[in-house]
Amino acid sequence: MPEVPSRLPNLASLQLFLAVVDEGGLGAGARRLGLHQPNASRVIAQLEAEAGAALLERDPRGSRATSAGLLYAAHARELIAAAEEFSAWLRHSRDEDSRELHVGVSMTIAEHLMPAWLAELRRRSPRVRVDLEVLNSTRVLAGIHDGHLQLGFVETPHVPRTVHSLMLREDELVVVVAPDHPWAAREEPLPLAELAATPLVVREGGSGTRDAFEELVPAAARTAPVQELGSNAAVRIAVASGAGGAVLSMLAVRDALGTGQLHRVPVGGARLRRPLTAVWKGPRRVSGPAADLLDVATSPPSPRS
């Protein structure tokens, strides 16, 4: 039998060290993990004593890893990832008969992609039960962080480094107006500057659609909206009623464009695209029902999708 080391590294201490390296300061790293700085200092000192080398260089601007510390951090990340995978396997093996999955989905994905994904998941894995929460992207990410969601699907380009992520596909954002809106009669593409300076009907703050548009056209964030609404359907109704133009996912307006309820306005310059992304915490590789759903979501889309 292989010899087991008499003293294994403390994983919580390694997580603190990595937080300090990632945040660039002892205080910031300690706050990220909810620790007091004096306690964090003692933990780092103990790690350095066990390593027999200085792992951090400290100065008034913060802390950065020494060359020994960088190597130490690389091995620490491998060890923590292995521990997370072991923990996930243990949970999966212990709860083998429990096939419930808690998923958070931002609204455009929930309305236009998730129904087909769930139907395919039921076909492939009929024992999986999905508990679905439809939220905006900010709230999905919050649910992943606090642990009550196992898997999330978001539309915002602002995915934090503290979660694992996988881009599923790109989504096009389009400008839509009512058929009798002045922009519907334009013969030339709408300049981005004019779009950014025009009050629009928009989704609420925290929406992935709004985040993505303001990331792609930063000047638009400085223009007060004409209306702020909590769903794609509400925005479509307001636009069709003549409230003003809007920028929405092509997924959300395709049917309304097909019936003539809305009119698409071409925009000058590059096409407005944003990622649709799966997010999760824990091991880098998901397992169990989360892996089943992620496999469905990453399969090639049907022509209708």
Side-chain angles (χ1 to χ4, degrees):
M1 179 180 291
E3 183 180 351
V4 177
S6 58
R7 184 176 178 83
L8 292 172
N10 181 286
L11 295 181
S13 299
L14 295 182
Q15 287 175 320
L16 171 63
F17 176 71
L18 294 177
V20 172
V21 172
D22 292 342
E23 298 292 338
L26 184 62
R31 284 192 298 276
R32 180 165 132 185
L33 299 185
L35 299 176
H36 295 297
Q37 186 165 338
N39 293 337
S41 296
R42 284 192 290 271
V43 170
I44 297 299
Q46 183 177 353
L47 286 180
E48 290 182 319
E50 292 172 355
L55 302 177
L56 294 173
E57 291 180 357
R58 301 166 178 82
D59 61 42
R61 293 172 295 180
S63 302
R64 61 183 179 181
T66 63
S67 56
L70 290 173
L71 184 60
Y72 190 92
H75 286 294
R77 292 186 200 279
E78 292 176 359
L79 182 58
I80 288 174
E84 289 175 340
E85 290 189 12
F86 175 76
S87 178
W89 168 81
L90 191 61
R91 288 194 306 272
H92 180 61
S93 62
R94 185 179 61 231
D95 303 327
E96 197 170 17
D97 292 332
S98 174
R99 301 284 287 172
E100 186 169 348
L101 179 64
H102 298 278
V103 180
V105 193
S106 57
M107 293 185 185
T108 302
I109 297 174
E111 292 173 355
H112 303 284
L113 296 176
M114 186 56 67
W117 293 349
L118 291 180
E120 177 63 15
L121 180 66
R122 281 193 294 271
R123 189 188 70 78
R124 297 187 191 184
S125 306
R127 292 175 55 223
V128 173
R129 177 180 176 275
V130 177
D131 179 13
L132 200 67
E133 292 189 42
V134 180
L135 310 162
N136 66 32
S137 291
T138 297
R139 293 179 63 194
V140 171
L141 289 168
I144 293 293
H145 276 294
D146 68 29
H148 89 271
L149 297 177
Q150 297 163 267
L151 187 64
F153 296 91
V154 297
E155 304 151 27
T156 177
H158 304 135
V159 176
R161 293 184 301 169
T162 52
V163 300
H164 302 302
S165 63
L166 176 66
M167 192 184 85
L168 305 174
R169 58 191 284 182
E170 280 193 322
D171 179 38
E172 185 176 8
L173 298 178
V174 296
V175 179
V176 292
V177 296
D180 58 353
H181 189 282
W183 283 354
R186 291 185 65 97
E187 296 183 358
E188 298 295 327
L190 180 69
L192 280 179
E194 183 177 347
L195 174 64
T198 301
L200 301 173
V201 183
V202 300
R203 286 283 308 279
E204 79 287 358
S207 153
T209 299
R210 184 169 175 178
D211 283 352
F213 174 54
E214 292 179 355
E215 172 90 2
L216 292 165
V217 187
R222 298 191 292 271
T223 301
V226 66
Q227 285 188 33
E228 184 176 275
L229 300 170
S231 70
N232 292 331
V235 173
R236 288 196 303 267
I237 292 169
V239 172
S241 300
V247 176
L248 288 174
S249 165
M250 174 59 86
L251 294 170
V253 299
R254 182 169 48 199
D255 290 343
L257 292 174
T259 62
Q261 182 185 29
L262 296 179
H263 178 87
R264 179 179 178 178
V265 181
V267 177
R271 298 174 78 179
L272 303 177
R273 294 185 175 274
R274 50 98 178 258
L276 304 181
T277 307
V279 293
W280 67 94
K281 286 194 77 173
R284 288 188 179 88
R285 185 180 304 171
V286 295
S287 60
D292 296 340
L293 180 55
L294 194 58
D295 184 60
V296 170
T298 53
S299 298
S302 68
R304 175 62 179 162
S305 298

